[in-house]
Short mmCIF file of all heavy atoms in Angstrom, two decimals:
data_model
loop_
_atom_site.label_atom_id
_atom_site.label_comp_id
_atom_site.label_asym_id
_atom_site.label_seq_id
_atom_site.Cartn_x
_atom_site.Cartn_y
_atom_site.Cartn_z
N ILE Z 58 17.87 5.49 4.53
CA ILE Z 58 17.43 4.23 5.15
C ILE Z 58 18.52 3.68 6.05
O ILE Z 58 19.69 3.56 5.65
CB ILE Z 58 17.08 3.19 4.06
CG1 ILE Z 58 15.86 3.66 3.26
CG2 ILE Z 58 16.82 1.82 4.68
CD1 ILE Z 58 15.64 2.92 1.97
N VAL Z 59 18.18 3.38 7.31
CA VAL Z 59 19.09 2.73 8.25
C VAL Z 59 18.63 1.28 8.41
O VAL Z 59 17.58 1.01 9.00
CB VAL Z 59 19.11 3.45 9.62
CG1 VAL Z 59 20.07 2.74 10.57
CG2 VAL Z 59 19.48 4.91 9.44
N ALA Z 60 19.39 0.35 7.82
CA ALA Z 60 18.99 -1.04 7.76
C ALA Z 60 20.06 -1.94 8.36
O ALA Z 60 21.23 -1.56 8.47
CB ALA Z 60 18.69 -1.44 6.32
N PHE Z 61 19.66 -3.18 8.69
CA PHE Z 61 20.56 -4.14 9.28
C PHE Z 61 20.50 -5.46 8.51
O PHE Z 61 19.54 -5.73 7.78
CB PHE Z 61 20.21 -4.36 10.75
CG PHE Z 61 20.39 -3.11 11.59
CD1 PHE Z 61 19.38 -2.16 11.67
CD2 PHE Z 61 21.59 -2.86 12.24
CE1 PHE Z 61 19.54 -0.99 12.40
CE2 PHE Z 61 21.76 -1.70 12.98
CZ PHE Z 61 20.74 -0.77 13.06
N GLU Z 62 21.53 -6.29 8.67
CA GLU Z 62 21.66 -7.50 7.87
C GLU Z 62 20.52 -8.48 8.06
O GLU Z 62 20.26 -9.32 7.20
CB GLU Z 62 22.99 -8.18 8.17
CG GLU Z 62 24.21 -7.45 7.61
CD GLU Z 62 25.50 -8.20 7.82
OE1 GLU Z 62 25.52 -9.11 8.70
OE2 GLU Z 62 26.48 -7.92 7.11
N ASP Z 63 19.84 -8.42 9.20
CA ASP Z 63 18.73 -9.35 9.43
C ASP Z 63 17.42 -8.86 8.82
O ASP Z 63 16.39 -9.49 9.01
CB ASP Z 63 18.55 -9.60 10.93
CG ASP Z 63 17.89 -8.43 11.65
OD1 ASP Z 63 18.08 -7.27 11.18
OD2 ASP Z 63 17.17 -8.67 12.64
N GLY Z 64 17.46 -7.73 8.11
CA GLY Z 64 16.26 -7.19 7.49
C GLY Z 64 15.51 -6.17 8.32
O GLY Z 64 14.48 -5.64 7.89
N THR Z 65 16.02 -5.87 9.51
CA THR Z 65 15.41 -4.83 10.33
C THR Z 65 15.69 -3.46 9.74
O THR Z 65 16.81 -3.22 9.22
CB THR Z 65 15.98 -4.89 11.76
OG1 THR Z 65 15.69 -6.16 12.35
CG2 THR Z 65 15.38 -3.78 12.64
N VAL Z 66 14.72 -2.57 9.79
CA VAL Z 66 14.89 -1.19 9.35
C VAL Z 66 14.63 -0.28 10.53
O VAL Z 66 13.54 -0.29 11.10
CB VAL Z 66 13.96 -0.84 8.17
CG1 VAL Z 66 14.14 0.62 7.77
CG2 VAL Z 66 14.22 -1.74 6.98
N GLU Z 67 15.66 0.48 10.92
CA GLU Z 67 15.51 1.38 12.07
C GLU Z 67 14.68 2.59 11.75
O GLU Z 67 13.93 3.12 12.58
CB GLU Z 67 16.90 1.79 12.55
CG GLU Z 67 16.88 2.58 13.85
CD GLU Z 67 18.30 2.85 14.36
OE1 GLU Z 67 18.85 1.94 15.01
OE2 GLU Z 67 18.83 3.94 14.07
N THR Z 68 14.79 3.09 10.51
CA THR Z 68 14.00 4.24 10.09
C THR Z 68 12.53 3.83 9.91
O THR Z 68 12.23 2.71 9.49
CB THR Z 68 14.56 4.83 8.79
OG1 THR Z 68 14.93 3.75 7.91
CG2 THR Z 68 15.78 5.69 9.05
N ALA Z 69 11.65 4.75 10.20
CA ALA Z 69 10.22 4.51 10.07
C ALA Z 69 9.80 4.63 8.60
O ALA Z 69 10.54 5.18 7.78
CB ALA Z 69 9.44 5.51 10.92
N PRO Z 70 8.62 4.11 8.25
CA PRO Z 70 8.13 4.30 6.87
C PRO Z 70 8.08 5.78 6.50
O PRO Z 70 7.58 6.59 7.29
CB PRO Z 70 6.74 3.66 6.90
CG PRO Z 70 6.77 2.72 8.04
CD PRO Z 70 7.67 3.33 9.08
N MET Z 71 8.56 6.08 5.32
CA MET Z 71 8.54 7.47 4.83
C MET Z 71 7.45 7.69 3.79
O MET Z 71 7.13 8.83 3.47
CB MET Z 71 9.93 7.82 4.27
CG MET Z 71 11.02 7.86 5.32
SD MET Z 71 12.67 8.09 4.62
CE MET Z 71 13.27 6.39 4.56
N TRP Z 72 6.91 6.58 3.29
CA TRP Z 72 5.87 6.66 2.26
C TRP Z 72 4.77 5.70 2.68
O TRP Z 72 4.99 4.50 2.76
CB TRP Z 72 6.47 6.28 0.90
CG TRP Z 72 5.55 6.26 -0.26
CD1 TRP Z 72 4.20 6.46 -0.28
CD2 TRP Z 72 5.91 5.98 -1.62
NE1 TRP Z 72 3.71 6.33 -1.56
CE2 TRP Z 72 4.73 6.05 -2.40
CE3 TRP Z 72 7.11 5.69 -2.25
CZ2 TRP Z 72 4.73 5.81 -3.77
CZ3 TRP Z 72 7.12 5.47 -3.63
CH2 TRP Z 72 5.94 5.53 -4.39
N ILE Z 73 3.60 6.23 2.96
CA ILE Z 73 2.45 5.40 3.32
C ILE Z 73 1.47 5.42 2.14
O ILE Z 73 1.06 6.49 1.67
CB ILE Z 73 1.75 5.91 4.58
CG1 ILE Z 73 2.68 5.77 5.79
CG2 ILE Z 73 0.45 5.15 4.84
CD1 ILE Z 73 2.10 6.28 7.09
N GLU Z 74 1.11 4.23 1.68
CA GLU Z 74 0.15 4.08 0.59
C GLU Z 74 -1.05 3.32 1.14
O GLU Z 74 -0.90 2.27 1.75
CB GLU Z 74 0.78 3.33 -0.57
CG GLU Z 74 -0.13 3.19 -1.78
CD GLU Z 74 0.58 2.58 -2.99
OE1 GLU Z 74 1.78 2.30 -2.91
OE2 GLU Z 74 -0.11 2.38 -4.02
N SER Z 75 -2.22 3.85 0.91
CA SER Z 75 -3.42 3.26 1.51
C SER Z 75 -4.51 3.05 0.48
O SER Z 75 -4.89 3.97 -0.25
CB SER Z 75 -3.96 4.16 2.62
OG SER Z 75 -5.18 3.65 3.13
N LYS Z 76 -5.00 1.83 0.42
CA LYS Z 76 -6.21 1.53 -0.34
C LYS Z 76 -7.37 1.84 0.58
O LYS Z 76 -7.68 1.06 1.49
CB LYS Z 76 -6.21 0.08 -0.80
CG LYS Z 76 -7.29 -0.25 -1.79
CD LYS Z 76 -7.04 -1.61 -2.44
CE LYS Z 76 -8.06 -1.85 -3.57
NZ LYS Z 76 -7.72 -3.07 -4.32
N VAL Z 77 -7.99 2.99 0.38
CA VAL Z 77 -8.95 3.53 1.34
C VAL Z 77 -10.13 2.60 1.57
O VAL Z 77 -10.61 2.44 2.70
CB VAL Z 77 -9.46 4.90 0.86
CG1 VAL Z 77 -10.39 5.51 1.87
CG2 VAL Z 77 -8.30 5.84 0.58
N SER Z 78 -10.63 2.02 0.51
CA SER Z 78 -11.82 1.17 0.59
C SER Z 78 -11.99 0.51 -0.78
O SER Z 78 -11.31 0.87 -1.74
CB SER Z 78 -13.04 2.02 0.93
OG SER Z 78 -14.26 1.28 0.80
N ASN Z 79 -12.89 -0.44 -0.89
CA ASN Z 79 -13.27 -0.93 -2.22
C ASN Z 79 -14.55 -0.27 -2.70
O ASN Z 79 -15.15 -0.72 -3.69
CB ASN Z 79 -13.41 -2.46 -2.22
CG ASN Z 79 -14.53 -2.95 -1.33
OD1 ASN Z 79 -15.02 -2.25 -0.44
ND2 ASN Z 79 -14.95 -4.19 -1.54
N PHE Z 80 -14.95 0.83 -2.03
CA PHE Z 80 -16.11 1.58 -2.49
C PHE Z 80 -15.74 2.42 -3.71
O PHE Z 80 -14.83 3.24 -3.69
CB PHE Z 80 -16.64 2.50 -1.40
CG PHE Z 80 -17.84 3.31 -1.80
CD1 PHE Z 80 -19.06 2.70 -2.04
CD2 PHE Z 80 -17.72 4.68 -2.00
CE1 PHE Z 80 -20.15 3.44 -2.46
CE2 PHE Z 80 -18.83 5.43 -2.40
CZ PHE Z 80 -20.03 4.80 -2.63
N CYS Z 81 -16.43 2.18 -4.80
CA CYS Z 81 -16.16 2.87 -6.07
C CYS Z 81 -17.49 3.11 -6.77
O CYS Z 81 -18.43 2.35 -6.61
CB CYS Z 81 -15.22 2.04 -6.94
SG CYS Z 81 -14.70 2.86 -8.48
N ASN Z 82 -17.52 4.16 -7.58
CA ASN Z 82 -18.74 4.47 -8.31
C ASN Z 82 -18.81 3.79 -9.67
O ASN Z 82 -19.80 3.93 -10.37
CB ASN Z 82 -18.86 5.99 -8.49
CG ASN Z 82 -17.66 6.60 -9.17
OD1 ASN Z 82 -16.53 6.22 -8.88
ND2 ASN Z 82 -17.88 7.53 -10.08
N LEU Z 83 -17.74 3.08 -10.05
CA LEU Z 83 -17.69 2.44 -11.35
C LEU Z 83 -17.67 0.91 -11.25
O LEU Z 83 -17.37 0.36 -10.18
CB LEU Z 83 -16.45 2.90 -12.14
CG LEU Z 83 -16.30 4.41 -12.35
CD1 LEU Z 83 -15.08 4.70 -13.22
CD2 LEU Z 83 -17.55 5.02 -12.95
N LYS Z 84 -17.98 0.26 -12.39
CA LYS Z 84 -17.93 -1.20 -12.49
C LYS Z 84 -17.07 -1.57 -13.69
O LYS Z 84 -17.61 -2.07 -14.69
CB LYS Z 84 -19.34 -1.77 -12.58
CG LYS Z 84 -20.18 -1.56 -11.34
CD LYS Z 84 -21.55 -2.22 -11.43
CE LYS Z 84 -22.54 -1.33 -12.15
NZ LYS Z 84 -23.92 -1.84 -12.06
N CYS Z 85 -15.78 -1.29 -13.61
CA CYS Z 85 -14.91 -1.55 -14.74
C CYS Z 85 -14.81 -3.05 -15.01
O CYS Z 85 -14.72 -3.85 -14.08
CB CYS Z 85 -13.52 -0.96 -14.50
SG CYS Z 85 -13.58 0.83 -14.20
N LYS Z 86 -14.80 -3.41 -16.28
CA LYS Z 86 -14.91 -4.80 -16.67
C LYS Z 86 -13.75 -5.67 -16.19
O LYS Z 86 -13.90 -6.89 -16.06
CB LYS Z 86 -15.06 -4.91 -18.19
CG LYS Z 86 -16.42 -4.48 -18.70
CD LYS Z 86 -16.53 -4.62 -20.20
CE LYS Z 86 -17.98 -4.46 -20.71
NZ LYS Z 86 -18.57 -3.17 -20.45
N MET Z 87 -12.58 -5.09 -15.97
CA MET Z 87 -11.42 -5.89 -15.55
C MET Z 87 -11.24 -5.92 -14.06
O MET Z 87 -10.37 -6.60 -13.54
CB MET Z 87 -10.14 -5.38 -16.23
CG MET Z 87 -9.62 -4.06 -15.71
SD MET Z 87 -10.68 -2.67 -16.20
CE MET Z 87 -9.76 -1.26 -15.59
N CYS Z 88 -12.05 -5.16 -13.30
CA CYS Z 88 -11.87 -5.02 -11.85
C CYS Z 88 -12.47 -6.20 -11.08
O CYS Z 88 -13.50 -6.75 -11.47
CB CYS Z 88 -12.46 -3.73 -11.35
SG CYS Z 88 -11.32 -2.34 -11.36
N SER Z 89 -11.84 -6.49 -9.96
CA SER Z 89 -12.40 -7.48 -9.02
C SER Z 89 -13.31 -6.75 -8.02
O SER Z 89 -13.31 -5.53 -7.93
CB SER Z 89 -11.28 -8.18 -8.27
OG SER Z 89 -10.63 -7.29 -7.38
N THR Z 90 -14.03 -7.54 -7.24
CA THR Z 90 -14.87 -6.94 -6.21
C THR Z 90 -14.05 -6.34 -5.08
O THR Z 90 -14.55 -5.51 -4.31
CB THR Z 90 -15.85 -7.97 -5.64
OG1 THR Z 90 -15.10 -9.13 -5.18
CG2 THR Z 90 -16.84 -8.42 -6.70
N GLU Z 91 -12.79 -6.75 -4.96
CA GLU Z 91 -11.93 -6.14 -3.94
C GLU Z 91 -11.56 -4.71 -4.32
O GLU Z 91 -11.29 -3.88 -3.45
CB GLU Z 91 -10.66 -6.96 -3.75
CG GLU Z 91 -9.87 -6.51 -2.55
CD GLU Z 91 -8.47 -7.09 -2.49
OE1 GLU Z 91 -7.80 -7.19 -3.52
OE2 GLU Z 91 -8.06 -7.42 -1.37
#
């Protein structure tokens, strides 16, 4: 990581995490509609 004191990061994201959709085949009791 190449970072600066003001919080800027020169390096690009190395890990991308994506919540693809809220489309799901289940209706778990603790889950929200999101």
